[in-house]
Amino acid sequence: MGVTALAAGCSTAVDGQVRPPAPDTAPSLASADPWVVFDGVEECAVLDLGLRPHQFPAARKETAGGSRGCIADKPRFGTAGIVLDALQGLDQVGSDPAALFDGKIHGRRMVLDRESLPSTTGDCAIYLEVSDTARVMINTALSRGTTDQACEFVQQVAAAVEPALPPVSPS
């Protein structure tokens, strides 16, 4: 499937390693318009692509996590979302370092966050690299289920949407 997740405890785990804390860095302002990296990307269509095999209804715009976000709800299963972020790269994922795991999906760098919603179970997020200062977050919160199940599901969605994302921009 092209997914290499380095998350201890996930059923797709491979030689997990805890990610060290990220250094405090500010987003780069190299471009006058950082959002140009996502030109031609429609976030709800990309999320729908990843959720289609799981029979989710169409995604809808949701800006609580960022101005370029979408969410879809499936009754008795849970929610899944996507956020395009042109202002933060993978090094700015702000979570408990013990819950972050580096890996790759189809050769693209990613960070899996096993505790995207602290003090809960059944949630997981993956951040996919677009550039040093841009990323895509795909997350899920299950109505019932474990963090391992959530991470397995979000890895499947991320693997399906990755080919629809812009190629990784050089720094």
Side-chain angles (χ1 to χ4, degrees):
M1 170 163 41
V3 177
T4 304
L6 303 178
C10 283
S11 58
T12 57
V14 179
D15 300 327
Q17 291 228 359
V18 175
R19 187 173 194 229
D24 290 333
T25 57
S28 170
L29 300 176
S31 171
D33 181 10
W35 292 97
V36 72
V37 71
F38 290 115
D39 279 356
V41 177
E42 203 290 296
E43 53 273 21
C44 290
V46 172
L47 182 60
D48 286 340
L49 178 69
L51 295 177
R52 189 171 299 127
H54 304 281
Q55 293 84 42
F56 267 71
R60 67 185 185 285
K61 193 76 173 149
E62 172 58 63
T63 59
S67 63
R68 297 282 308 269
C70 285
I71 192 169
D73 304 298
K74 182 177 177 182
R76 293 178 298 285
F77 183 85
T79 62
I82 190 168
V83 176
L84 310 183
D85 186 343
L87 304 176
Q88 299 179 90
L90 291 185
D91 291 338
Q92 287 84 37
V93 174
S95 190
D96 177 0
L100 299 177
F101 301 89
D102 294 318
K104 291 191 176 199
I105 294 182
H106 303 304
R108 184 186 299 261
R109 286 182 53 223
M110 66 124 207
V111 173
L112 185 139
D113 183 354
R114 291 184 48 84
E115 292 186 7
S116 57
L117 301 170
S119 304
T120 64
T121 59
D123 68 280
C124 194
I126 286 183
Y127 298 84
L128 296 166
E129 179 181 43
V130 176
S131 74
D132 286 346
T133 58
R135 66 189 187 201
V136 173
M137 180 189 69
I138 302 162
N139 65 341
T140 192
L142 302 179
S143 300
R144 294 176 288 224
T146 66
T147 298
D148 287 347
Q149 291 168 324
C151 288
E152 174 73 24
F153 173 74
V154 83
Q155 287 176 67
Q156 293 171 14
V157 174
V161 306
E162 188 281 332
L165 299 178
V168 176
S169 300
S171 46

